[in-house]
Each structure stands twice: as C-alpha cells, then as structure tokens.
Amino acid sequence: MVACLIIISCLLFTTPLAAVAGGGTWSLLRPSIGISAMHMQLLPTDRVIIYDRTDFGASNISLADGKCRHDPNDIVLKDDCTAHSVEYDVASNSVRPLMVLTDVWCSSGGLMPDGSLVQTGGFNDGDHVVRIFNNACGECDWVEIPLGLAQRRWYATNHVLPDGRQIIIGGRRQFNYEFYPKAAAAEKSYSFPFLVETNDFKFENNLYPFVFLNTDGNLFVFANNRAVLFDYRRNRVVKTYPGVPGGEPRNYPSTGSAVLLPLRVVQATVAVVEVLVCGGAPKGHL
Ligand SMILES: *[C@@H]1O[C@H](CO)[C@@H](O)[C@H](O)[C@H]1NC(C)=O
C-alpha cells in the first residue's frame, strides 16, 4: 500500500537553534475518530475536515441517519454504511461523520477564499471528481462534481491563486495542470514539460510537487530534486533554480515536505522569499 503522508528524515537548510525546554503536556482528546487521517484540513471555523481512502474496507464510524453508499466501482466494499470522512469540531471535541461517494485516496485540495474546501481527484472512480465542503453551514456534507476535472488527478498538488481559483498541478502520468473553477466549461489542461523532465523512469519521484505562490505572482514549483519559477498564465518557465545538493529526490514515493517561510515585509517590500524543503529519500528507496 502506498501511503500519502510519510515523512522520513529532515534536511534543514537553516542554522540550528538551541532547543529551549518549553514544558507543556499532551492530552488525549479522543481515543478514536473512527477513520485514519490520511488527509486533513483545518477550516476557518475551527473545524477539521478529515478523510481517508474509501477502498480499504469499513471504517469504525457509521454514516449518519442509516445512510449507506452503494458503489459498484469500489474494489473492496460495494455496500458500505461506514464513513470515510469526518468533521472534527475542536471546540466541542466532537466528531461528525461525512459522506464521500468516490475514492479520495491520495487526492489533493485546499481552501478557497470563502473558506470552503475544494478537494480534487483520487483513485479509481474518484480520479476526475471535484468535491466541495462548504464551511458556511453548520451541518454541511461533501458535494461532488463527477467530471469536475479535465484530467485524472492522483498525487497532484493544488494551490489557491490571487484570482480565487485553484491550480491543480500534475499527478500520476499527468504532465500538465488545470484550474478549478474553469474559465469556461470547455477549458482543458495545459501542458507542463517540467513534470516530464523530473519524472524518473519507474520511480516517478515528482508526484505531489511542492508549489508556492511567489511574491511576483509566479509559482515556485519544486519536483524531484529541483525547482522552477513558473508563470502559469503564460505557460512559461521564467527561472530555473540550481538542483538540491546531492540530487536525491524529495518528492514521492518517500514524500518529504516543504514550507514557505514567513515573509519579512520591510516598507511594503519582501526582499527574500525562502522555501524550506525537508525529507525525501535516495532514489530507489521507498
Ligand atoms: C477500528 O477498530 C479496530 C478495533 O478496535 C482497530 O484495530 C482499528 O485500528 C480501528 N481503525 C480505525 C481506522 O480507527
């Protein structure tokens, strides 16, 4: 089984700081939420939307109101009355089962400017689906758009854009990107050769690329062991950065992680934009 979130060692490109003992304690809020947290997203409402693949058998939490999912495409359980997504309410420490209809295994997503969660793709019958969780209503559930994507997306990366759309980049055997929502219903995907160049034969090593919006409006896209600055509006690479030291892959299958470090704004200007890339494994290792 391929897990989406495995973080192994950490390679830090910063000066180590001396650790200060901060005290504090851990407490267990709930012994179980009924599903595995393969994916999680904190909403502005202080609720956490959690979801797991649907094709791994029953979970430990039932769907609400005796609902069941009949999915002839599911590989393991065609009739399933258990939930594979939940909403965790931090304030009340409670869990509410949610219903996903298609397989969200190794999908991707992100928040829209209005605070709703848009989550795209997945495996099998979920690979072209766009799912929306609207945070504006208290008891909302997932709404699915079956053919919301132009391409199948499995292990793609999403990023919200200044115009309020999301860009959805890559995924297995997808060397392209697309937007949600579409500018027009017929809008297709756009090719992105960088994902061909960074795809290692048999190992891929460039799935779930690390994507950040740069202060100049372009996207910083890191895949495998190198990065480019990409103008998604003109479909053009505007800068190619040097490869990482050692050249080992930082993305899938031994997926590391990356973060845009806090921007230092001085007189309305950001002098330096820094991205920290952490983890990965030598080529050929899982
Ligand atoms: C479901 O419950 C069983 C038995 O307690 C446990 O072994 C399993 O890890 C649980 N699975 C989840 C996803 O919580």
Side-chain angles (χ1 to χ4, degrees):
M1 185 198 132
V2 182
C4 283
L5 302 169
I6 307 171
I7 298 169
I8 303 175
S9 64
C10 240
L11 186 74
L12 296 166
F13 300 104
T14 52
T15 322
L17 298 169
V20 177
T25 54
W26 291 97
S27 58
L28 186 65
L29 297 177
R30 296 183 67 92
S32 169
I33 55 164
I35 69 168
S36 299
M38 179 185 266
H39 302 269
M40 284 201 266
Q41 175 68 53
L42 174 66
L43 300 183
T45 50
D46 254 3
R47 295 175 183 207
V48 186
I49 303 300
I50 304 170
Y51 40 103
D52 186 20
R53 58 191 297 183
T54 53
D55 61 343
F56 217 63
S59 75
N60 288 346
I61 182 169
S62 296
L63 286 165
D65 309 320
K67 279 186 287 193
C68 296
R69 175 173 143 262
H70 176 70
D71 184 356
N73 297 315
D74 196 284
I75 294 160
V76 174
L77 211 52
K78 297 190 191 321
D79 288 290
D80 186 356
C81 303
T82 66
H84 298 278
S85 177
V86 297
E87 179 189 63
Y88 175 69
D89 182 349
V90 177
S92 64
N93 188 25
S94 61
V95 172
R96 185 168 71 89
L98 301 175
M99 192 170 189
V100 282
L101 299 174
T102 52
D103 198 354
V104 296
W105 174 20
C106 288
S107 55
S108 50
L111 290 181
M112 296 299 262
D114 68 357
S116 60
L117 171 60
V118 163
Q119 186 264 337
T120 54
F123 180 62
N124 192 19
D125 59 359
D127 65 4
H128 278 79
V129 177
V130 172
R131 304 171 194 83
I132 300 166
F133 188 87
N134 181 352
N135 78 333
C137 68
E139 297 290 298
C140 280
D141 209 331
W142 288 104
V143 173
E144 304 204 10
I145 304 167
L147 286 173
L149 296 176
Q151 306 289 347
R152 65 192 290 257
R153 301 282 169 194
W154 197 28
Y155 302 89
T157 296
N158 298 27
H159 201 294
V160 69
L161 298 171
D163 67 6
R165 291 183 301 164
Q166 273 186 30
I167 189 168
I168 305 148
I169 303 180
R172 177 161 273 170
R173 291 187 284 278
Q174 294 301 336
F175 311 107
N176 55 60
Y177 60 95
E178 65 181 281
F179 299 95
Y180 180 83
K182 306 277 177 234
E187 192 186 23
K188 298 280 179 241
S189 58
Y190 302 86
S191 95
F192 192 14
F194 177 63
L195 295 178
V196 178
E197 292 155 19
T198 51
N199 184 278
D200 289 334
F201 179 64
K202 288 214 315 226
F203 297 105
E204 299 173 299
N205 289 326
N206 68 349
L207 302 181
Y208 280 139
F210 305 139
V211 179
F212 299 100
L213 183 66
N214 193 27
T215 48
D216 67 357
N218 295 309
L219 291 172
F220 174 92
V221 183
F222 181 104
N224 193 335
N225 55 13
R226 55 194 187 271
V228 292
L229 192 62
F230 184 60
D231 181 346
Y232 61 90
R233 292 149 303 194
R234 294 179 188 80
N235 187 242
R236 196 183 300 159
V237 170
V238 293
K239 194 184 261 188
T240 301
Y241 296 101
V244 294
E248 300 293 3
R250 304 282 160 197
N251 299 95
Y252 177 93
S254 288
T255 305
S257 54
V259 66
L260 177 68
L261 295 177
L263 301 173
R264 216 162 294 133
V265 184
V266 180
Q267 287 167 352
T269 308
V270 177
V272 183
V273 178
E274 286 180 290
V275 170
L276 174 68
V277 175
C278 195
K283 199 183 279 192
H285 287 70
L286 285 177

